[in-house]
Amino acid sequence: MTDYAVARQRMVAEQLVRRGIQDQRVLQAMGKVHRHLFVEEALWGRAYGDYPLPIGEKQTISQPFMVALMTEALELKDHERVLEVGTGSGYQTAILAELAGKVYSIERMRALAMRAIRRIESLGYYNVLIRVGDGSVGWKEMAPFDAILVTAGTPQVPIRLLEQLGEDGRLVVPVGQAENQVLRKGTKKGADIHWTELGNCVFVKLVGEQGWSD
Ligand code: SAM
């Protein structure tokens, strides 16, 4: 077994299972996807650590536990369609691609989106579509979605995203101040959204029409 495979198993056991992640499909996906390939080579040795890492353009790849917590909350079934807002490195995108039927992902920064597209293609994920744009308004042409994940912090829940959720659809989004947020999960039931809170978190800003102005 390679050093990275050992590091992945240790990450799953010590950072995810020990902190309460139970969904076996999520644990398997996190044990399978080569996280180090989503950061620059100089950071490969730290790729399985218990923290976010820089990915350029002042953005980050999220901490493994946060990726697992958000993914578990989405309750994805293997035929479902999911929208990710904030592609970043493409790591979370790959995890979603392991668990859902089709993944749509939007990244605001062209350089990051282009790198993520190359990585996702080279790893052979054919059920992913990534585009450059403002994901705070969603992806209307591809809606409705069974699940929507926002991987950047926003001052309020983007209304367009709620509109693009299908019946029983789940939205997971960090909401709050620029420096810290609460991870919120909304489930659509008819005209209502049932909200729960999953804990505190710290994300970079969602910059766009339905997020921060800058
Ligand atoms: N999930 C990513 C990963 O696994 O690497 C990490 C995402 S990073 C914490 C948040 C990303 O959201 C950044 O890449 C940032 O450029 C992007 N972002 C911020 N505002 C956005 C918007 N309105 N639309 C799309 N992407 C946005």
Side-chain angles (χ1 to χ4, degrees):
M1 204 184 283
T2 65
D3 288 352
Y4 291 120
V6 172
R8 257 193 315 281
Q9 284 192 352
R10 193 172 295 156
M11 173 190 84
V12 168
E14 294 175 5
Q15 299 174 37
L16 310 186
V17 175
R18 198 173 285 176
R19 289 199 187 115
I21 302 296
Q22 291 181 353
D23 186 324
Q24 290 304 315
R25 293 180 71 230
V26 173
L27 295 171
Q28 269 169 21
M30 301 269 313
K32 177 178 172 189
V33 176
H34 291 196
R35 180 173 163 93
H36 63 280
L37 297 180
F38 293 83
V39 295
E40 63 182 90
E41 200 166 345
L43 295 175
W44 283 10
R46 302 178 61 207
Y48 298 93
D50 191 14
Y51 33 69
L53 286 171
I55 55 172
E57 315 293 326
K58 298 189 184 153
Q59 306 301 322
T60 53
I61 179 173
S62 304
Q63 176 198 26
F65 174 68
M66 196 48 69
V67 173
L69 182 68
M70 295 190 298
T71 309
E72 185 172 62
L74 292 175
E75 298 178 71
L76 291 172
K77 295 167 201 73
D78 57 12
H79 63 277
E80 288 190 325
R81 294 154 43 81
V82 54
L83 173 67
E84 178 190 30
V85 177
T87 317
S89 68
Y91 174 68
Q92 171 83 69
T93 320
I95 299 290
L96 297 175
E98 291 282 341
L99 299 171
K102 182 86 187 180
V103 183
Y104 300 90
S105 186
I106 309 177
E107 170 55 52
R108 176 175 165 262
M109 313 203 81
R110 178 170 295 275
L112 293 181
M114 293 307 153
R115 276 204 288 274
I117 288 169
R118 280 198 296 276
R119 285 182 184 126
I120 286 288
E121 282 181 359
S122 71
L123 291 171
Y125 290 105
Y126 299 114
N127 58 341
V128 174
L129 198 56
I130 297 173
R131 77 166 173 86
V132 180
D134 176 9
S136 75
V137 296
W139 195 334
K140 200 174 164 193
E141 299 76 12
M142 300 300 178
F145 301 100
D146 300 297
I148 300 179
L149 174 60
V150 183
T151 70
T154 173
Q156 70 278 314
V157 176
I159 187 79
R160 300 275 168 271
L161 298 184
L162 289 176
E163 290 168 1
Q164 292 173 28
L165 269 186
E167 179 62 16
D168 294 323
R170 292 82 62 197
L171 169 67
V172 173
V173 54
V175 183
Q177 309 301 312
E179 303 75 25
N180 53 71
Q181 306 90 29
V182 173
L183 194 61
R184 300 186 70 192
K185 174 180 176 180
T187 306
K188 194 165 193 167
K189 296 281 177 199
D192 292 335
I193 307 281
H194 295 187
W195 288 103
T196 54
E197 293 190 353
L198 306 175
N200 296 328
C201 54
V202 178
F203 279 86
V204 296
K205 284 182 181 175
L206 181 77
V207 178
E209 190 183 309
Q210 299 273 309
W212 295 94
S213 54
D214 204 355

